[in-house]
Amino acid sequence: MPDLWSGRLPGGLDPEVRRFSSSLDVDWRLAAYDIRGSLAHVAMLQATGILTEREAHSITDGLATLLDEVMGGAAPWNPEAEDVHSAVEEELTRRVGPVAGKLHTGRSRNDQVALDLHLYVRDATRATAAEVGRLARALLTQADAHQEVVLPGYTHMQRAQPVPLAQHLLAYVFMLSRDRERLWQAYQSADRSPLGAGALAGSTLPLDPERSRQELGLAHLYENSLDAVSDRDFLLDYLAAAAQCMLHLSRLAEELVLWSTREFGFVHIDDGWATGSSMMPQKKNPDVAELIRGRSARTLADFVGLATVMKGLPLSYNRDLQEDKAYVFHAADTVMAALSAMSGLVAHLTFDAAAMAKGLTTELLATDEAEALVRDGLPFREAHARIGVRFRDLQDPPAADRAAIHASLHARDRKMGPGPNSVRDQIAKARRLPWDIGEIG
Ligand code: ARG
């Protein structure tokens, strides 16, 4: 098939330029969205009388068959095509003949590719949120089962105050609830149709963008055609949500690496979720956690990469925008795989309550002791100094009395706190959160 612009540039593209500018190896993943967008566009062209019923039917039939094939995993197009849009149109032409040439009426690949990406991000945010929900549930199950297990809580990596393991794990659950919210916001910014914006400034034909928007089930229509073809904020929103989520996973991964050391021994990683060493026979390594921690760099790089593409781009469409997809697909694949691996890792963890109990020394009760003096009327600064003196030369504080640790937790049983009622409330609250976008979207 001749190039889409062969009227203006009949000589044909230099093969090197064709290779250099092609995006099919990346954007083939948009094929189903592209065809769905075309189906909505044709329906609109028919409804507005721009296409006859017969024409619309032939195109629709051809597209529907192609969609079935794509959904079945086929790639029914010429692998030499420039991008997924021209690949689909070329294949449609081969199948239904010249009437396929009417599909692109009143449309540009600029509003077409923007639409494809909006549809893709709506699915990606839902799928990512579902994985976030899976991990949150795995953490909640562990938290629920470990309300009675107590470990030293840390600040500055120094022993600070006792907390139940459940309280520690729930912190990650609430971090994930914010990830879900950010994904929902990304979903909302993607839920907008650019179709009808054309190349940048609409069309003289009597298009009905509202109609195609409805057909696609998108919540809003862009207000401005230049914005519609050049906006990639919704991609950055998704990348930011993915990057933030990976940062959370990376922090959890770091703790699992640390806690699984002989020095801590707080957690045992299941054999199936650990690896050995090719040389040192004794080794059992937390590679899954380390890979998640390492891969968080990738999603961060994806956000920075696309933000750098966008920075300084004039309105409206520029070919630079073709680079957007690789970042988005890469981030989506990375965050979903990492969430899934972390869910499996967490679900298979065994916590060592005895190892944690070894860290429950009297120093963890120092703040409580200072507060007891405050209750007796001493100013807090004075109480702090008086207790502090006792720990000055205490290199190795003795184990705290188990009852004293529990009394300390009970004494701090207020909202947010590590007491048993508060922890139970947090678990109940976390269970009621709408983990999937589908639950509220
Ligand atoms: N492959 C292009 C992209 O991903 C499609 C739009 C091309 N538009 C153009 N005017 N050359 O951005």
Side-chain angles (χ1 to χ4, degrees), residues 355-424:
M356 291 178 184
K358 275 192 208 135
L360 299 175
T361 47
T362 53
E363 66 197 312
L364 299 176
L365 302 172
T367 312
D368 291 16
E369 286 182 55
E371 286 178 352
L373 295 179
V374 165
R375 244 182 255 116
D376 293 342
L378 214 63
F380 179 72
R381 276 292 144 242
E382 208 172 307
H384 185 286
R386 215 184 273 183
I387 303 294
V389 169
R390 285 208 343 242
F391 286 91
R392 223 186 250 168
D393 302 316
L394 198 56
Q395 290 306 326
D396 203 5
D401 182 46
R402 201 164 162 71
I405 292 287
H406 280 276
S408 167
L409 294 177
H410 274 89
R412 285 178 284 129
D413 199 4
R414 293 179 226 294
K415 186 146 176 59
M416 277 197 281
N421 289 308
S422 163
V423 168
R424 216 172 302 121

Side-chain angles (χ1 to χ4, degrees), residues 103-300:
L103 167 62
H104 212 52
T105 308
R107 188 175 68 169
S108 157
R109 281 183 298 163
N110 300 351
D111 55 349
Q112 185 178 358
V113 71
L115 173 67
D116 295 0
L117 287 166
H118 281 77
L119 298 176
Y120 171 84
V121 169
R122 276 204 323 181
D123 278 359
T125 48
R126 276 179 190 277
T128 312
E131 287 296 341
V132 167
R134 225 181 106 207
L135 174 57
R137 286 185 191 101
L139 284 163
L140 268 169
T141 303
Q142 292 282 22
D144 203 359
H146 296 96
Q147 296 181 51
E148 306 291 321
V149 172
V150 187
L151 74 153
Y154 295 81
T155 64
H156 312 267
M157 281 308 293
Q158 307 292 322
R159 283 182 198 160
Q161 288 184 294
V163 290
L165 175 55
Q167 170 89 346
H168 194 101
L169 297 175
L170 282 161
Y172 285 102
V173 173
F174 290 107
M175 282 152 95
L176 290 171
S177 79
R178 293 193 294 278
D179 290 328
R180 193 214 63 92
E181 266 169 45
R182 269 182 286 273
L183 288 164
W184 169 233
Q185 283 159 13
Y187 177 93
Q188 286 175 301
S189 53
D191 201 9
R192 192 172 287 276
S193 177
L195 209 55
L200 77 163
S203 157
T204 60
L205 299 165
L207 306 177
D208 183 0
E210 188 55 39
R211 164 86 205 217
S212 32
R213 174 194 74 75
Q214 272 174 19
E215 197 82 33
L216 289 159
L218 287 157
H220 309 281
L221 193 62
Y222 274 88
E223 300 293 339
N224 179 294
S225 61
L226 298 173
D227 186 32
V229 294
S230 61
D231 173 31
R232 294 296 183 270
D233 292 356
F234 64 104
L235 297 183
L236 288 171
D237 287 347
Y238 177 63
L239 291 176
Q244 178 74 269
C245 180
M246 285 296 287
L247 293 189
H248 291 158
L249 298 192
S250 180
R251 294 179 70 177
L252 175 56
E254 163 60 15
E255 291 206 309
L256 295 179
V257 170
L258 197 66
W259 284 13
S260 64
T261 57
R262 178 94 60 217
E263 286 72 10
F264 269 81
F266 287 4
V267 75
H268 298 294
I269 292 174
D270 186 81
D271 282 1
W273 290 80
T275 49
S277 156
S278 60
M279 182 173 177
M280 297 170 282
Q282 85 284 12
K283 290 295 293 285
K284 174 172 163 183
N285 294 328
D287 287 28
V288 175
E290 290 171 291
L291 284 168
I292 291 170
R293 189 176 59 187
R295 275 185 208 170
S296 62
R298 292 201 205 175
T299 40
L300 213 48

Side-chain angles (χ1 to χ4, degrees), residues 5 21-24 27 30 82-85 108-111 113-114 117 199 232 317-325:
W5 53 83
S21 59
S22 167
S23 57
L24 188 59
D27 64 20
L30 293 173
E82 181 196 334
D83 56 23
V84 68
H85 325 292
S108 157
R109 281 183 298 163
N110 300 351
D111 55 349
V113 71
L117 287 166
R232 294 296 183 270
Y317 179 85
N318 299 275
R319 191 68 182 269
D320 313 44
L321 290 175
Q322 178 166 296
E323 298 300 303
D324 57 3
K325 289 158 227 43

Side-chain angles (χ1 to χ4, degrees), residues 301-361:
D302 289 325
F303 174 81
V304 173
L306 181 58
T308 312
V309 169
M310 298 310 293
K311 181 187 166 303
L313 269 195
L315 290 176
S316 56
Y317 179 85
N318 299 275
R319 191 68 182 269
D320 313 44
L321 290 175
Q322 178 166 296
E323 298 300 303
D324 57 3
K325 289 158 227 43
Y327 296 112
V328 174
F329 296 155
H330 181 253
D333 294 347
T334 306
V335 70
M336 280 192 262
L339 280 162
S340 176
M342 187 58 102
S343 298
L345 185 62
V346 166
H348 290 87
L349 291 176
T350 314
F351 292 96
D352 189 334
M356 291 178 184
K358 275 192 208 135
L360 299 175
T361 47

